[in-house]
Amino acid sequence: MHLEQEFESVRNVGREAVRRAGVILLEGYSRDIKISYKGEIDLVTEVDWASEKEIIRVIHASFPRHGILGEEGGIVPGPGSERWIIDPLDGTTNYTHHFPFFGISIGFESEGEVLYGIVFDPLRNQTFEAVKGEGATLNGTPIHVSETPLLSRSLLATGFSSSQPEDPRRDNLPHFNRFSRKVQGIRRTGSAALDLCYVAMGALDGFWEIGLSPWDTAAGSLIVREAGGRVSDRQDGKHELTSPLIVASNGLIHQEMISLLSEVTC
Ligand code: IPD
Ligand code: CA
Ligand code: CA
């Protein structure tokens, strides 16, 4: 199969996987669901598991030899470097409280590089998508980061890792404190994947968080970059999927964000 044809199938599989997972999320949203705890405050539901299982089924129906890294334990090594990185429900806490902000995030990686990403918000029927080198879209229409030039004119978002209470190195409050005096506002939406997409479409000017996992950022960070934004680690170096801190922005306020983050050493 030609590379282009194969890539078209990657895109089709991503779209089909989020569409089917979206049906599962919406169905679960309207009834009582089983909730379990991964930690003191870290939730997982039967819907997270059902969504991941369905996404993996769809991927393996077309690409049986591709590897899988799924948040809820769906880890299947493949013989090659192709790997799908899945967050079957980003925003589980929102979901269980009926706070209407959550999504599904899927990234496709080859030779260590994310080449395709899709994030789907089933309540708003919004699909954010990016192919490396081809730009980013929302429901098929190209999107771009904002043109806000200064931190003092910016609206940011952040999040707090559910492991934060036990790990002082992941304490985001000192950063939150500093940023809150310098920006117009900070949102804590509860879905890192959607936060990144909101940076990509210019509704947010920047986002940072400590302690995210590859499934939270694989798709969203490609979508930000392809929308003309910048994604880095805390020293403004390359953001790897395992980097402890992510900074994403419209590019124009990036340096200001990096210098403010450097004021707290942890
Ligand atoms: C969480 C959300 C949240 C972020 C947490 C993540 P989950 O993902 O993205 O916004 O602040 O760090 O763990 O657990 O709902 O998939
Ligand atoms: Ca997540
Ligand atoms: Ca999740």
Side-chain angles (χ1 to χ4, degrees), residues 13-26:
V13 164
R15 288 175 181 168
E16 178 65 2
V18 297
R19 192 188 66 73
R20 286 176 175 271
V23 171
I24 291 173
L25 264 55
L26 290 181

Side-chain angles (χ1 to χ4, degrees), residues 48-80:
D48 297 67
W49 288 318
S51 170
E52 183 162 303
K53 198 171 161 202
E54 179 62 4
I55 293 168
I56 295 173
R57 192 195 64 73
V58 171
I59 293 168
H60 275 162
S62 294
F63 297 112
R65 290 163 63 80
H66 284 187
I68 300 282
L69 174 62
E71 178 180 11
E72 306 309 340
I75 300 172
V76 185

Side-chain angles (χ1 to χ4, degrees), residues 71 87 89-91 215-216:
E71 178 180 11
D87 191 333
L89 169 45
D90 186 52
W215 42 81
D216 298 306

Side-chain angles (χ1 to χ4, degrees), residues 63-263:
F63 297 112
R65 290 163 63 80
H66 284 187
I68 300 282
L69 174 62
E71 178 180 11
E72 306 309 340
I75 300 172
V76 185
S81 71
E82 293 87 358
R83 188 168 72 145
W84 295 76
I85 304 170
I86 305 161
D87 191 333
L89 169 45
D90 186 52
T92 298
T93 306
N94 286 347
Y95 185 86
T96 58
H97 288 267
H98 284 84
F99 184 87
F101 203 76
F102 52 84
I104 298 144
S105 173
I106 304 179
F108 170 75
E109 179 189 73
S110 177
E111 290 172 12
E113 197 175 4
V114 178
L115 301 180
Y116 171 74
I118 185 164
V119 175
F120 180 48
D121 172 346
L123 286 178
R124 293 170 187 77
N125 196 21
Q126 290 188 318
T127 305
F128 299 88
E129 227 179 345
V131 174
K132 190 165 190 299
E134 291 185 16
T137 55
L138 164 55
N139 291 348
T141 303
I143 50 173
H144 301 281
V145 292
S146 72
E147 292 180 358
T148 307
L150 297 170
L151 200 55
S152 59
R153 298 283 180 274
S154 296
L155 179 64
L156 305 185
T158 190
F160 294 86
S161 160
S162 46
S163 61
Q164 192 182 15
E166 295 107 54
D167 187 350
R169 286 166 308 160
R170 291 186 171 189
D171 189 2
N172 195 17
L173 281 174
H175 298 297
F176 188 90
N177 195 0
R178 277 185 164 68
F179 273 111
S180 64
R181 293 155 207 268
K182 301 273 183 191
V183 300
Q184 290 188 342
I186 306 178
R187 303 290 173 255
R188 195 288 189 247
T189 70
S191 167
L194 285 174
D195 288 337
L196 288 165
C197 293
Y198 277 44
V199 172
M201 71 165 165
L204 292 168
D205 305 299
F207 166 76
W208 86 95
E209 187 164 341
I210 304 173
L212 287 174
S213 300
W215 42 81
D216 298 306
T217 59
S221 54
L222 178 67
I223 293 169
V224 171
R225 287 193 186 101
E226 289 298 323
R230 192 147 148 201
V231 180
S232 77
D233 67 6
R234 69 183 302 157
Q235 274 97 27
D236 203 15
K238 185 172 188 276
H239 174 261
E240 307 287 350
L241 293 178
T242 50
S243 295
L245 190 149
I246 183 170
V247 192
S249 80
N250 65 3
L252 303 173
I253 62 163
H254 210 82
Q255 268 316 319
E256 281 193 276
M257 288 185 74
I258 294 288
S259 17
L260 210 59
L261 286 162
S262 72
E263 287 178 16

